[in-house]
């Protein structure tokens, strides 16, 4: 999710982090950045040593795991690829951390090695042993601290010097934090970006009675749902007037708010936070709101967005003024031989003709694969991403209702909402007579499969006819018929 300090709260922004400057929203007209072509041929000198790597990936998250698989598929990993990570684990499917990983201990929570990449997309589970078998060098808990682009070298926190031929930056994001001056670093205050963060939160949940989640976006909603499974007194606090304001319509947000309240969650919307207060033991004890009231808490989870992890690459001369590291449609930066993928990359969103930085696992997977294929082959067609977001909540054993929604496309224009949320609901975004985006809750596999076809093809659709649909199923049939008409034309 985007940092609250720099995200655009526009419908057209979705959960995409778009640049502020209008001059950057149309990359094809920009003359300020020139992307130079780079061939992948890496000539190893006669003094080749163990410090020379043909391909280096910096970052050990989702994108790194899928990039590694693509290198293997092309026969270019064994003895050639190195992954440098700040984490102690091989790449894993990060979305699990705010979903299955937080399930109560008696409700079959997700644990490693169960969700190493690439199981999230139905692929092989890439355990640490997998990387060894494929000849991929893994450097754990030793993040890169500096880069010399002239010498093509990286220096890690331990002082290790790595020479690269081609470099892929896949550092993702860091959690936006509350300042220490208002209690942002008190014991019992949590941020979730990795397994260590999630383990620390679970330790607090095991002892807590009252938990407060700050933020009404994806993280906030998923953690609040997990806390309900622990049977804790749960409150969710956010400054906006509704949940997930960047995507949900007000009416859809209201339905989700009612669902959370039915599960015992206290929803405090439109609330500002003055500071977090410590108890006599030094741990967080309450959240003080802007109106002077307080909400007691044994544990506080901050989910207010994230910032692209661009350090130390800013000093290297890479353009980061667009909200991430700017790349072209093949994920090349302005420096030959350096690429950026996943959450950290600001790329041309081709189908909407604007620059965007997308924080989502689907983009992390696809961008990594596209980048590596372009790097290793003659593939030259540019990345053409269809924005996709989803969430799954209340999925633990014993939950009275498991919730799963998916969204594809762009949330612009007028909306048509069909269904009563029991058990399903659909929202359609229509702009200038074209279907631009669609969100479906509790759909069937076949229905979910239809969504990306609708969003990518953007068929003309009769709004009045759609409004008269008596069910979600009928509405989707109308949309599907509109699609078939255009495909035959």
């Amino acid at each position: 999710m985007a940092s609250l300090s720099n995200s655009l709260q526009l419908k057209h922004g979705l959960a995409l982090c778009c640049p502020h400057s209008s001059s950057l929203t149309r990359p094809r007209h920009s003359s300020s950045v020139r992307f130079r072509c780079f061939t992948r041929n890496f000539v190893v000198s006669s003094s080749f040593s163990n410090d020379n790597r043909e391909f280096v990936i910096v970052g050990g998250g989702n994108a790194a795991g899928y990039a590694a698989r693509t290198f293997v598929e092309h026969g270019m990993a064994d003895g050639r690829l190195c992954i440098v990570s700040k984490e102690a684990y091989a790449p894993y499917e990060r979305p699990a951390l705010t979903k299955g990983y937080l399930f109560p201990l008696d409700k079959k929570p997700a644990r490693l090695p169960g969700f190493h990449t690439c199981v999230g997309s139905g692929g092989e589970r890439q355990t640490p042993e997998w990387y060894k078998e494929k000849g991929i060098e893994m450097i754990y808990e030793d993040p890169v601290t500096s880069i010399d682009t002239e010498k093509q070298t990286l220096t890690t926190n331990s002082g290790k010097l790595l020479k690269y031929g081609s470099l892929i930056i896949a550092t993702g994001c860091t959690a936006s934090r509350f300042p220490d001056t208002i209690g942002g670093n008190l014991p019992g205050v949590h941020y979730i970006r990795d397994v260590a963060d999630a383990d620390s939160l679970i330790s607090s949940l095991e002892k807590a009675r009252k938990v407060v989640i700050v933020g009404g976006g994806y993280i906030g909603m998923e953690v609040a749902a997990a806390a309900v499974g622990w049977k804790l007194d749960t409150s969710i606090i956010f400054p906006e007037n509704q949940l997930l304001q960047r995507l949900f319509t007000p009416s859809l947000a209201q339905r989700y708010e009612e669902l959370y309240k039915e599960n015992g969650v206290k929803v405090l919307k439109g609330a500002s936070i003055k500071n977090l207060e410590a108890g006599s033991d030094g741990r967080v004890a309450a959240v003080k709101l802007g109106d002077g009231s307080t909400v007691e808490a044994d544990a506080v989870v901050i989910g207010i967005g994230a910032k692209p992890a661009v350090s130390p690459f800013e000093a290297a001369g890479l353009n980061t003024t667009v909200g991430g590291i700017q790349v072209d449609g093949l994920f090349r930066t302005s420096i030959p031989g350096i690429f950026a993928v996943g959450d950290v990359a600001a790329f041309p969103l081709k189908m909407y003709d604007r620059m965007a930085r997308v924080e989502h696992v689907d983009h992390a997977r696809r961008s990594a694969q596209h980048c590596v294929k372009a790097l290793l082959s003659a593939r030259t067609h540019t990345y053409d991403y269809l924005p996709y977001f989803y969430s799954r909540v209340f999925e633990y054993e014993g939950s009275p209702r498991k919730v799963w929604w998916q969204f594809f496309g762009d949330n612009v224009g007028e909306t048509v909402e069909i269904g009563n949320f029991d058990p399903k609901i659909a929202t359609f975004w229509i702009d200038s007579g074209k279907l631009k985006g669609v969100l479906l809750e509790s759909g069937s596999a076949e229905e979910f499969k239809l969504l990306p076809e609708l969003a990518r093809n953007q068929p003309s659709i009769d709004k009045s006819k759609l409004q008269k649909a008596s069910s979600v199923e009928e509405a989707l049939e109308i949309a599907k018929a509109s699609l078939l008409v255009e495909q035959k034309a």
Side-chain angles (χ1 to χ4, degrees):
M1 285 172 288
S3 163
L4 294 184
S5 63
N6 65 8
S7 65
L8 294 181
Q9 299 298 326
L10 300 175
K11 279 189 174 183
H12 138 134
L14 250 104
L16 307 180
C17 307
C18 300
H20 292 278
S21 171
S22 59
S23 66
L24 292 171
T25 60
R26 296 292 183 266
R28 66 186 181 189
H29 298 312
S30 174
S31 60
S32 60
V33 176
R34 294 180 181 177
F35 294 100
R36 291 174 283 174
C37 293
F38 175 78
T39 60
R40 68 175 179 82
N41 297 324
F42 176 56
V43 180
V44 182
S45 68
S46 58
S47 60
F48 178 84
S49 72
N50 288 334
D51 290 331
N52 293 335
R53 278 85 178 169
E54 189 169 354
F55 306 107
V56 174
I57 300 172
V58 178
N62 273 95
Y66 282 81
R69 183 176 74 173
T70 310
F71 273 108
V72 169
E73 290 170 347
H74 283 74
M76 297 294 285
D78 194 356
R80 298 181 175 193
L81 176 62
C82 172
I83 298 177
V84 187
S85 175
K86 68 177 182 179
E87 294 198 52
Y89 304 93
Y92 53 86
E93 304 284 0
R94 205 171 295 275
L97 297 181
T98 54
K99 299 179 179 69
Y101 201 85
L102 294 184
F103 288 179
L105 302 182
D106 62 345
K107 299 186 186 300
K108 299 181 180 179
R111 290 292 182 268
L112 289 173
F115 58 97
H116 279 298
T117 56
C118 297
V119 296
S121 61
E124 183 179 1
R125 182 178 293 108
Q126 298 169 191
T127 63
E129 291 70 30
W130 182 89
Y131 290 89
K132 291 178 183 178
E133 292 170 0
K134 303 303 182 183
I136 300 171
E137 179 184 12
M138 295 293 300
I139 299 177
Y140 297 105
E141 298 183 279
D142 197 10
V144 168
T145 55
S146 65
I147 178 174
D148 186 327
T149 57
E150 293 298 320
K151 296 180 180 179
Q152 292 182 235
T153 58
L154 302 166
T155 303
T156 69
N157 189 59
S158 69
K160 192 175 187 64
L161 190 68
L162 306 173
K163 187 170 179 61
Y164 63 86
S166 297
L167 172 66
I168 299 176
I169 301 169
T171 46
C173 289
T174 59
S176 296
R177 304 176 68 90
F178 272 12
D180 291 353
T181 52
I182 65 168
N185 202 34
L186 287 172
V189 176
H190 300 273
Y191 307 84
I192 305 181
R193 292 303 300 182
D194 56 35
V195 167
D197 293 337
D199 285 342
S200 177
L201 173 57
I202 290 169
S203 179
S204 287
L205 294 178
E206 289 175 332
K207 301 183 286 287
R209 293 179 301 107
K210 298 181 178 181
V211 60
V212 169
I213 293 95
V214 179
Y218 294 95
I219 299 293
M221 292 178 70
E222 291 175 359
V223 174
V228 168
W230 289 79
K231 295 181 172 57
L232 300 177
D233 184 322
T234 304
S235 300
I236 183 169
I237 303 172
F238 48 93
E240 298 84 10
N241 292 322
Q242 64 169 73
L243 291 167
L244 201 54
Q245 189 174 48
R246 288 176 299 176
L247 178 58
F248 286 173
T249 63
S251 60
L252 183 61
Q254 181 62 35
R255 292 178 185 271
Y256 277 96
E257 182 179 326
E258 291 169 359
L259 173 66
Y260 275 73
K261 288 179 177 178
E262 289 170 5
N263 280 275
V265 178
K266 302 179 183 69
V267 179
L268 287 76
K269 55 187 177 182
S272 63
I273 293 176
K274 184 176 182 181
N275 62 275
L276 307 180
E277 298 182 339
S280 58
D281 60 355
R283 292 181 58 84
V284 69
V287 177
K288 188 170 185 178
L289 304 183
D291 63 6
S293 62
T294 60
V295 181
E296 293 183 356
D298 306 303
V300 174
V301 184
I302 309 296
I304 56 173
K307 299 177 290 187
V310 296
S311 177
F313 304 103
E314 287 176 301
L318 296 175
N319 183 10
T320 60
T321 62
V322 292
I325 296 175
Q326 185 171 353
V327 298
D328 67 3
L330 298 177
F331 297 97
R332 299 174 296 189
T333 70
S334 55
I335 299 178
I338 300 181
F339 304 77
V341 299
D343 292 5
V344 77
F347 65 98
L349 192 57
K350 185 177 179 179
M351 68 181 300
Y352 301 128
D353 194 21
R354 64 177 184 255
M355 290 293 289
R357 187 177 65 79
V358 178
E359 296 174 13
H360 193 270
V361 63
D362 181 63
H363 164 64
R365 295 166 180 163
R366 293 177 184 271
S367 63
Q369 293 168 321
H370 194 99
C371 173
V372 175
K373 288 176 182 177
L375 172 63
L376 298 180
S377 69
R379 179 175 185 170
T380 58
H381 72 269
T382 57
Y383 189 57
D384 189 10
Y385 185 67
L386 174 66
Y388 161 54
F389 301 94
Y390 77 93
S391 188
R392 307 174 75 124
V393 293
F394 299 111
E395 286 199 307
Y396 43 81
E397 286 187 353
S399 172
R401 180 179 176 183
K402 296 174 172 60
V403 173
W404 181 21
W405 60 261
Q406 293 186 29
F407 169 86
F408 286 87
D410 203 7
N411 59 335
V412 293
E414 301 175 280
T415 58
V416 174
E417 188 174 281
I418 304 295
N420 59 10
F421 201 64
D422 185 20
K424 62 174 64 174
I425 192 169
T427 304
F428 301 84
W429 281 263
I430 302 170
D431 190 35
S432 301
K434 296 280 189 177
L435 181 59
K436 294 290 187 176
V438 57
L439 182 148
L440 176 62
E441 159 68 44
S442 299
S444 67
E446 184 178 355
E447 289 169 340
F448 279 137
K449 187 177 179 180
L450 174 64
L451 304 190
E453 294 184 55
L454 294 171
R456 184 169 289 282
N457 288 282
Q458 302 179 30
S460 297
I461 193 164
D462 187 333
K463 179 185 171 184
S464 61
K465 187 175 182 181
L466 190 64
Q467 288 173 321
K468 294 175 184 176
S470 60
S471 66
V472 170
E473 291 81 1
E474 183 182 352
L476 290 172
E477 284 300 320
I478 291 170
K480 184 178 180 180
S482 298
L483 176 62
L484 292 175
V485 168
E486 297 219 347
Q487 288 176 339
K488 292 177 180 178

